[in-house]
Amino acid sequence: MKRITIGAGTGPNIVAGMMRIAEMSDDAVRKLVGSARDAGIDFFDHADIYGGALHASERRFAEAMALTPSEREQITLQTKAGIVPGAGYDFSYEHLVSSVEGSLQALGTDYIDILLLHRPDALMEPNEVARAFDDLYDSGKVRAFGVSNHTPRQIEYLSRWIRRPIVANQLQLSLLHAPIIAQAVAMNTRYDQAVDRDGGGILEYCRDENITVQAWSPMQGPNGVFLGSDAHPELNAVIDRLAAKYDVPPIAIATGWITRHPANIQVVMGTTSPQRIADAALGSEIPLTRAEWYELFTAAGHVVP
């Protein structure tokens, strides 16, 4: 069985997100994936709901790539289950198993490398999740499990029931959306930044439990993409200056700020641009100094007391 590559490895700490490929041509999908592979990226993120119809993006990926068994072994495929559009969430045994079966068929593969629970289900019965995980693992259909947008307490509770370790937690993180980092920096102050919105040190908890944090929407702020935006002149001025210093595109500075963190965070890039995925991968190689990292942090509007 192939070892699951999760967290920092020999290549860039970038995951290629496939959520927007459903309407792309075969050639465009192959060019995007090829650019990722050329940049050293071998990790591809899916979800059953991506693409406007159930399993649409997964199916588009498989149709365009037509991977041979040996090519399939060279990459990591991750997908997510649990969101039911228009009807909340469903972590029941039947739904999770059915979703994985649908993903396997759509992706044209015998196994999923990593399955994530896609946002918490308030009506979760943990014994059903445990049974689903056991059956999916024992049958060889899923090799590892994780979560998305879960608090430390939610992970601890789930872990009491399941036999497989949680290997990943996909969380929103960017220079402009960084509460999982910023809250701890402002701890014990009166700044709004000090308010805990993530259940108590989720980043530190994941590091302690060897759970890889995967950063989704790494280029997004409250008003959309911040790179080159007139709404964030100070931040972009710092990004552009550092990009010139390190001779990389600005997007690499934005990803480099995330990968510079010692938690070995993976950056999930949902771009459909082959050039942007290649440029983003350069961020893993940028040795931002502490002063530069904090300068970006404060330019994004966060407080360093």
Side-chain angles (χ1 to χ4, degrees), residues 1-23:
M1 183 178 288
K2 179 179 67 174
R3 181 179 68 85
I4 299 301
T5 302
I6 190 80
T10 56
N13 232 8
I14 305 293
V15 176
M18 298 287 104
M19 65 281 290
R20 297 184 178 92
I21 67 169
E23 301 302 322

Side-chain angles (χ1 to χ4, degrees), residues 84-117:
V84 182
Y89 309 99
D90 189 349
F91 286 2
S92 67
Y93 173 88
E94 290 77 11
H95 181 80
L96 293 178
V97 171
S98 174
S99 177
V100 169
E101 294 287 359
S103 291
L104 290 170
Q105 182 177 13
L107 287 166
T109 185
D110 294 329
Y111 65 95
I112 302 296
D113 291 292
I114 306 172
L115 173 69
L116 303 186
L117 299 177

Side-chain angles (χ1 to χ4, degrees), residues 56-101:
S57 288
E58 294 171 324
R59 187 172 296 108
R60 185 84 285 275
F61 179 87
E63 291 170 347
M65 297 307 299
L67 298 173
T68 66
S70 62
E71 289 171 335
R72 169 65 184 93
E73 281 292 313
Q74 294 171 14
I75 66 173
T76 296
L77 289 181
Q78 173 176 278
T79 196
K80 298 180 283 293
I83 294 180
V84 182
Y89 309 99
D90 189 349
F91 286 2
S92 67
Y93 173 88
E94 290 77 11
H95 181 80
L96 293 178
V97 171
S98 174
S99 177
V100 169
E101 294 287 359

Side-chain angles (χ1 to χ4, degrees), residues 43-59:
F43 200 131
F44 298 90
D45 178 70
H46 295 268
D48 57 356
I49 62 167
Y50 289 164
L54 201 58
H55 304 293
S57 288
E58 294 171 324
R59 187 172 296 108

